[in-house]
Structure formats: structure tokens, C-alpha cells
Amino acid sequence: MSFELRLGVNVDHVATIRNARGGGHPDPVRAAQLAAAAGADSIVAHLREDRRHISDDDLARLMETIDIPLTLEMAATDEMLKIALRHAPHAVCIVPERREERTTEGGLDVALGHNHLKRFVDQLTGNKAIVSMFVEPDRRQMDAARSIGAPAVEIHVGAYCDALTGGTEAQAAEQIERIVDAAGYGAGLGLQIHAGHGITFDTVGPVAAVPEIVELNIGHFLIGEAIFGGLDSSIRHMRALMDTARARSQSEAGA
Ligand code: PXP
């Protein structure tokens, strides 16, 4: 089993703060450069249909400026497909999107949207992007992602994070078990397994310990925590927690 566990830092909410006032400060591109210096392996940005945080100009500047890979999160719409094909980011994560939601509240139903989504996977992988589907920890979604030729999935871990912080121990245990099961099953199908949504210093350990997960994408908490200790410190601390949890799970597995 590989030790690799990459950290993708989502800079959307730097743009949220900027947009609260208009103007250019704080700049998500500057945050992306700082994140790279602090040990991020990639930068993540979600260009939403309503442009509520990242703008088209941010995306263009991120593509031009950063020298680590960029993951573009996008809804499966023709407008976004055109943009993704034009910029050719390293990776694209297809997410469900509803205007009225505050954030991405659940995973895509790849099984239901099979025919619609396959076209996106074909065109984006043809453009050399690593395409992932943002899905719930569910074997059916792993099968569906595999069947449309997606090379990767990102498991939505929000239900686990919510259960750990606001639910019972049994609920958290049940949710992490779903993640462990889906990650093992998906990796067995040959999918690259990523995870994200709602991860904090308190919730990262058990997710980072899942050996099949090779990438965590984290945004809101890191940007929020940066208010108190700086972005560099919040990323370095997250990275250390991830690496410690993964090293411990590997040594337990080998023991
Ligand atoms: N991964 C995906 C696919 C997302 O849509 C998001 C944002 O909702 C994240 C990761 C990051 O989640 P958070 O901001 O809660 O860390």
C-alpha cells in the first residue's frame, strides 16, 4: 500500500471574503501561492454557476500563476465543460450544484446521471484531466463511476464529520465504516480515491488513516483557521495531522 496522501487546499473562501467587499483583497491566487509554500500538493477551486466565490478571472490567474496542480470543481453543465476544456486544469472534480445551497451538500448520483455524466468524463479525460466524481461513500456510486470511465472519485465525508462533531459515537463509527468500505471497494475497482468536505483538525485523523485514500481536499476550515494563526500555520498543522494519522495506521497494519 502506498504511503502517499496528498493535500489539496481549496481557496474558494478567500474569494468569499474578498467578494464581501468587492475589490481585490484578499486574493485567492496569493493564498494559493502561500498554500503551495506551506506544503499543499494541489490547489482546488470551485467555479460555481453563480460565481459566488471564485471568478473566471481567478481561474485564469490560478492557471497562469501557480506551479502545483490545479483541481477545478465544477457542475456538469456545458458552460463549465467549455471553460474546463479551455483551461485544461490538471484535474476536474464533477460536483452536484444547486443555487440555493450554501455549499456542496451531498454527493453526485452518478448511478442516476450515468448517461449525462459519461460525456463529461470522455471529453475531460480526452483533454488529459484526471476526472473525479464527488460521491457519497456508497458501493453503488463506485460501480457507477467506474462504469462511466472516471479514473477517480472523491468521497463526500461531510456526514462523518458532522457525526463526529455533533452526533453520537455510534453514528460517527457507522459513518467512518461507510467510508472505509467504499474506499476499499472503489480502490478494488481501480478507482483513485480522494476525500473531502467538512474536514477539520478534529475530524481529519480517521479519514487520513484510510489506506486507499490518496488525496484530501480541504477548504473552509483551513481558511477560517488562518484568521487565528495564519494560512501557513493552519496548512502545516493539517499536513502534520494527516501524516501522523497515516503513518500510525500503516504501522498498525504492518504490526
Ligand atoms: N471537495 C469538494 C468536491 C467540495 O465541493 C468541497 C467544498 O464543498 C470540498 C472538497 C472542501 O470542503 P470544505 O470547504 O468543507 O473543506
Side-chain angles (χ1 to χ4, degrees), residues 10 12-13 44 46 48 73 93-95 103-105 134 154 156 195-199 217-222:
N10 181 314
D12 290 349
H13 297 300
V44 186
H46 184 176
R48 292 187 75 105
E73 292 177 6
C93 181
I94 308 281
V95 302
T103 179
T104 315
E105 283 165 2
F134 191 38
E154 180 165 330
H156 193 305
H197 201 93
I199 295 175
N217 291 311
I218 311 176
H220 184 267
F221 179 81
L222 286 175

Side-chain angles (χ1 to χ4, degrees), residues 160 164 199-209 216 218 238 241-242 245:
Y160 152 72
L164 193 67
I199 295 175
T200 68
F201 292 156
D202 292 335
T203 59
V204 71
V207 181
L216 299 184
I218 311 176
M238 186 64 85
L241 292 172
M242 285 165 54

Side-chain angles (χ1 to χ4, degrees), residues 45-59:
H46 184 176
L47 186 68
R48 292 187 75 105
E49 186 196 8
D50 61 8
R51 308 301 196 269
R52 72 174 72 154
H53 35 60
I54 292 295
S55 67
D56 297 75
D57 178 61
D58 292 332
L59 176 60

Side-chain angles (χ1 to χ4, degrees), residues 81-251:
L81 180 61
K82 226 188 265 172
I83 292 170
L85 292 174
R86 187 168 75 245
H87 286 294
H90 171 81
V92 173
C93 181
I94 308 281
V95 302
E97 203 174 291
R98 285 186 298 122
R99 258 180 197 261
E100 64 275 18
E101 70 189 358
R102 276 212 209 146
T103 179
T104 315
E105 283 165 2
L108 266 181
D109 194 340
V110 181
L112 192 72
H114 194 282
N115 294 339
H116 175 66
L117 293 168
K118 185 168 183 347
R119 180 167 65 88
F120 287 81
V121 173
D122 288 348
Q123 293 199 46
L124 291 164
T125 50
N127 208 36
K128 298 198 167 44
I130 296 169
V131 182
S132 60
M133 300 283 134
F134 191 38
V135 292
E136 295 294 322
D138 176 341
R139 288 186 178 210
R140 216 173 111 250
Q141 298 298 342
M142 303 291 134
D143 283 330
R146 184 73 224 147
S147 76
I148 59 171
V153 289
E154 180 165 330
I155 296 180
H156 193 305
V157 298
Y160 152 72
C161 293
D162 288 347
L164 193 67
T165 50
T168 64
E169 226 172 89
Q171 285 165 336
E174 183 189 332
Q175 292 300 333
I176 197 73
E177 191 41 51
R178 287 181 69 208
I179 294 167
V180 168
D181 179 73
Y185 183 78
L189 297 176
L191 291 165
Q192 200 183 115
I193 312 292
H194 307 165
H197 201 93
I199 295 175
T200 68
F201 292 156
D202 292 335
T203 59
V204 71
V207 181
V210 179
E212 292 84 4
I213 294 177
V214 295
E215 181 176 300
L216 299 184
N217 291 311
I218 311 176
H220 184 267
F221 179 81
L222 286 175
I223 304 307
E225 193 60 19
I227 293 169
F228 305 108
L231 188 56
D232 184 84
S233 156
S234 80
I235 292 171
R236 284 183 198 278
H237 188 52
M238 186 64 85
R239 170 99 254 169
L241 292 172
M242 285 165 54
D243 291 346
T244 303
R246 175 59 61 92
R248 189 177 303 134
S249 82
Q250 290 216 316
S251 81

